[in-house]
Amino acid sequence: MKEVILVTGASSGFGLLSAQSLARAGHTVYASMRETSGRNAPQVAAVNNWAKEHGVDLRTVELDVSDDASVTSGVETVVAQSGRIDVIVHNAGHMVFGPAEAFTPEQYAQLYDINVLSTQRVNRAALPHLREQGRGLLVWVSSSSARGGTPPFLAPYFAAKAAMDSLAVSYAAEVARWGIETSIVVPGAFTKGTNHFAHAGSPADTVVAAAYESGPYAGVADQALKGLAALEPADADAGAVAVAIADLVNLPFGRRPYRVFIDPSQDGAEEVFRIGDRVRREMFRNIGLKDLLAPRQS
């Protein structure tokens, strides 16, 4: 079935790759990004050219996930143009790298806003449409860092992704009776193929950061990054995440997996997630809400 899909944070990385993969699968896809008439204008042109070249229905839409009005306007644009909205891919996110202590509380709040509160803004704008339709799909791009190995100096990002994953888990049960399905995609640490690490933010407190760099933790940051890269197989392809998202969207309603893991480094997250998800299922059965484990079929 041809779906109308909104992908957040789709100017580059997993978001752009996923939008392209979904469009190639025959869906109407909106690659959302901010500053479409400013900083991202060249990217808008590139997306439009790619869509024409490949003969697919891939469009761009202005949507700043950190701004309520922009999110509402972006979702309404999709609905106005296509008559409905079927799938939300929560992909927008940002990474930072450095000692946890050296980031200010304001930096933590900003990162939480981009990685977590953004999904709440989009849900509040889109879910009324999905609930009215009695059908839909939420795809959440999580991270193996929420349950797997957690190397040092990525604390703000890890905390934000863990919060987003927890929000996704709660939402899954709360929208199931509305006929809305949930799939949580869990990528591993892809150190190449995206701008995730290249565009990572740094601590605002440079004095504290310098203390870590020159003290007993000297060299740890470099070792952590090199170690992550070394764990990643040479043939690891960030495009595999996009393919996995397109594959699950293409599955029949009610048959989509609750979690999908794409972790070439195999950092152990899958094992830990499976235990937590099993405990969740047992809890829902024990409290008489087993039906919330799957979307209601209309």
Side-chain angles (χ1 to χ4, degrees):
M1 179 176 177
K2 183 175 182 178
E3 309 279 13
V4 177
I5 304 170
L6 172 66
V7 182
T8 66
S11 64
S12 63
F14 289 147
L16 178 59
L17 291 170
S18 298
Q20 292 173 333
S21 186
L22 288 162
R24 278 194 296 262
H27 303 293
T28 295
V29 184
Y30 287 83
S32 77
M33 60 192 80
R34 60 181 178 172
E35 299 182 47
T36 53
S37 59
R39 178 172 60 88
N40 277 322
Q43 189 58 18
V44 169
V47 169
N48 291 338
N49 289 337
W50 187 92
K52 290 178 182 177
E53 179 183 345
H54 290 81
V56 298
D57 193 358
L58 175 59
R59 316 176 190 185
T60 58
V61 62
E62 171 73 29
L63 193 154
D64 181 349
V65 295
S66 64
D67 182 87
D68 286 359
S70 178
V71 169
T72 299
S73 175
V75 170
E76 293 303 324
T77 296
V78 173
V79 174
Q81 289 184 2
S82 295
R84 67 182 199 277
I85 186 167
D86 304 311
V87 181
I88 304 296
V89 180
H90 287 303
N91 167 77
H94 183 58
M95 177 182 282
V96 296
F97 185 79
E101 181 189 350
F103 290 93
T104 65
E106 291 76 17
Q107 284 187 290
Y108 274 84
Q110 182 181 37
L111 196 72
Y112 192 91
D113 187 59
I114 295 171
N115 288 280
V116 187
L117 300 186
S118 66
T119 65
Q120 179 68 355
R121 292 189 183 95
V122 173
N123 278 351
R124 283 178 55 79
L127 282 176
H129 298 285
L130 300 185
R131 289 191 286 106
E132 184 177 1
Q133 291 168 191
R135 177 186 170 278
L137 170 64
L138 299 181
V139 179
W140 304 71
V141 181
S142 181
S143 169
S144 66
S145 66
R147 293 292 185 274
T150 50
F153 294 171
L154 285 158
Y157 176 73
F158 288 167
K161 295 306 286 189
M164 194 202 88
D165 192 281
S166 292
L167 191 62
V169 168
S170 291
Y171 256 113
E174 295 183 15
V175 298
R177 286 185 181 175
W178 293 102
I180 300 170
E181 203 164 6
T182 293
S183 286
I184 305 172
V185 177
V186 186
F190 287 88
T191 61
K192 54 184 182 293
T194 73
N195 294 321
H196 220 36
F197 281 88
H199 291 172
S202 57
D205 192 334
T206 55
V207 173
V208 170
Y212 276 84
E213 291 167 4
S214 61
Y217 281 84
V220 169
D222 189 53
Q223 184 178 346
L225 289 177
K226 287 182 177 177
L228 276 175
L231 288 176
E232 189 175 353
D235 61 352
D237 179 9
V241 177
V243 171
I245 289 174
D247 286 347
L248 72 85
V249 170
N250 288 336
L251 288 172
F253 180 80
R255 300 287 301 278
R256 291 156 175 152
Y258 177 65
R259 281 195 195 273
V260 177
F261 300 92
I262 312 98
D263 183 11
S265 301
Q266 293 292 299
D267 72 359
E270 185 169 351
E271 297 175 38
V272 182
F273 269 121
R274 290 196 188 284
I275 294 172
D277 292 341
R278 175 176 58 77
V279 171
R280 171 181 176 267
R281 292 193 299 271
E282 291 174 355
M283 166 64 79
F284 276 74
R285 293 187 182 104
N286 291 340
I287 62 176
L289 291 173
K290 178 183 176 181
D291 74 290
L292 299 187
L293 294 171
R296 174 172 290 174
Q297 304 273 352
S298 60

